[in-house]
Amino acid sequence: RLEYSERVLQLLVEFCFTDRMSSLDGVNSSSNNSCGGSTYNLEEKARLLTNLSGAAHYFDITKLEADIKRQLVTMMADHPSLACAVLDEASKILSGEELSLLALERIRARPKAALLPWSNFNSGGSGASISALSPRNSLTSGRGGIVSLNASLLEQVVFDEKSTASEMTKFLCLQKWVEGSKQEVVLEELPRKQTDPDECEKVQSPPSSPNKVSCNDETPSMDSISQDSHHQKKVNVAKALAQKLDLSLISASDLSTTITDSQLLSTHDLYQAYRLQALNAERTKSKVFVEGAGLSEVNGTYIQGGVHEGTPMYNKEGVWRDREEVFRIFLCTYSNGNKSWCISIVPKGKQPGKTTDLDFYECPVSYGKVLTGHASMTGGMENGLGVVPSRGWKLVNYGQPPVPKCSLIAGCLEDA
């Protein structure tokens, strides 16, 4: 028995006779379109094409499979959030591995755009505050994003080691998935705690939460399968995954508002996070303002974070060549012993100052002003290596003229 919808089979026949899918042509640029007597939004079209790809593979129609792949790649380039719908649908078909990898690569390149397309990110705190999270928001309809994923894919996507998503973005994904996902959560996808078998004998009545299994294996009534139970299942999944978040990387302002209000984290976890924030409350981070660079992606405000060669690094999130990246300003020692400040992208998982860096501009350390009075800093400051230079920058590798100017807005320098 073929597990393909009537619409998929219609498109297969149409392609076999015409070598085209005319009824789907033009359904790319708007959120809702009518084709073949049916109305499709962008997400529905992406899912339909993914299923059609599986059918084309089954019937060995290689040209159709290749055409669909090209069309989906274009759609995901124009609308990164559709990658979630493609990944979700491709995970259900035997031949979906290649489309799954393509979708995952798109999500890794543009995590905010792919996972949270409805959201307005505002600077402040960690730079990841968010608005418009209501699932009834008109922009959530037919655009894909995190709500398109089933629970079994949530951990793989949100906590993907190759993703550039910040901890706050990861949390917002969990929150949005709970609020907006209509995917059914099956029992196997629910997080479980291991319990002592003897505890089963102590249970006198079914648990209050409808998604937990009682020891007497009593079948729940149809009335208990409700919208509330579906929501609670999603909450349980999100709470379990929220334990993987590194709360120390989320600002105190976000912890006290968005994180606390969500109720996805326990009071104990929030207390520990607040405790770490309090220990650093008096240490104001320095900033570097970069302006005038011919490569506009480099311009902006860099926030102090981390230390390299005993000297503070400064970081800024941005997009370069259609990938979300972290631009860094750091001090680098070359193999000949010379030292320079660099504005670069350091690949995730790599140390700064290596040949894997994508370098844009550099400036000899001699152009920097000597900083004194910060004995708590190791190495660099004590040796008079100075701070980020304002002038003296030059082009390297991927930079474009003119060169930038940098302004240090000093705070209290942090230790490593």
Side-chain angles (χ1 to χ4, degrees), residues 31-211:
S31 58
N32 289 286
N33 291 273
S34 177
C35 54
S38 301
T39 300
Y40 295 90
N41 57 41
L42 285 172
E43 178 180 348
E44 290 167 342
K45 181 185 177 182
R47 289 182 180 274
L48 177 61
L49 286 172
T50 304
N51 272 297
L52 185 57
S53 174
H57 182 85
Y58 180 83
F59 289 105
D60 198 25
I61 309 175
T62 54
K63 184 178 185 303
L64 176 58
E65 191 175 4
D67 288 351
I68 292 172
K69 175 183 171 182
R70 283 192 294 269
Q71 191 166 351
L72 286 174
V73 167
T74 299
M75 290 177 68
M76 290 188 289
D78 294 339
H79 306 279
S81 57
L82 295 179
C84 291
V86 173
L87 177 62
D88 183 72
E89 207 63 40
S91 68
K92 304 171 187 176
I93 60 178
L94 292 176
S95 59
E97 183 176 359
E98 184 178 9
L99 288 180
S100 294
L101 290 174
L102 289 172
L104 198 55
E105 281 300 315
R106 190 61 182 146
I107 295 170
R108 288 167 176 167
R110 299 293 304 275
K112 288 181 183 178
L115 300 172
L116 299 166
W118 327 269
S119 309
N120 297 317
F121 285 86
N122 306 309
S123 18
S126 63
S129 57
I130 196 171
S131 61
L133 276 174
S134 169
R136 293 181 294 275
N137 189 301
S138 61
L139 290 178
T140 66
S141 176
R143 291 287 299 278
I146 192 68
V147 298
S148 297
L149 297 175
N150 64 68
S152 65
L153 291 171
L154 202 58
E155 181 175 4
Q156 175 190 354
V157 172
V158 175
F159 295 95
D160 180 8
E161 291 183 356
K162 296 182 180 180
S163 173
T164 57
S166 67
E167 294 302 292
M168 189 61 189
T169 297
K170 294 174 185 177
F171 168 80
L172 293 170
C173 285
L174 298 179
Q175 183 186 42
K176 179 61 184 176
W177 184 80
V178 170
E179 294 181 355
S181 175
K182 296 181 180 179
Q183 297 266 12
E184 187 63 33
V185 180
V186 298
L187 193 62
E188 289 75 13
E189 294 170 334
L190 289 174
R192 297 248 190 118
K193 289 184 179 179
Q194 300 212 347
T195 55
D196 189 334
D198 294 336
E199 290 296 316
C200 288
E201 299 177 3
K202 302 176 184 179
V203 178
Q204 301 299 322
S205 60
S208 58
S209 178
N211 63 313

Side-chain angles (χ1 to χ4, degrees), residues 372-394:
T372 59
H374 289 278
S376 63
M377 283 300 302
T378 61
M381 294 303 118
E382 294 174 352
N383 292 331
L385 295 179
V387 296
V388 179
S390 173
R391 300 178 182 274
W393 293 89
K394 63 180 182 179

Side-chain angles (χ1 to χ4, degrees), residues 221-248:
S221 66
M222 290 299 293
D223 291 339
S224 68
I225 305 175
S226 63
Q227 194 171 23
D228 288 340
S229 68
H230 177 235
H231 178 77
Q232 188 58 47
K233 288 177 182 179
K234 294 191 295 181
V235 170
N236 288 349
V237 171
K239 281 184 174 181
L241 293 180
Q243 298 300 310
K244 297 171 66 70
L245 293 167
D246 185 349
L247 299 181
S248 68

Side-chain angles (χ1 to χ4, degrees), residues 278-296:
L279 292 174
N280 294 310
E282 296 181 358
R283 307 169 83 182
T284 304
K285 293 183 177 181
S286 298
K287 302 177 182 179
V288 173
F289 183 64
V290 178
E291 59 183 335
L295 188 69
S296 59

Side-chain angles (χ1 to χ4, degrees), residues 337-351:
N338 292 336
K339 295 179 180 290
S340 288
W341 286 94
C342 299
I343 302 179
S344 311
I345 291 174
V346 180
K348 186 173 182 179
K350 303 292 184 180
Q351 289 295 316

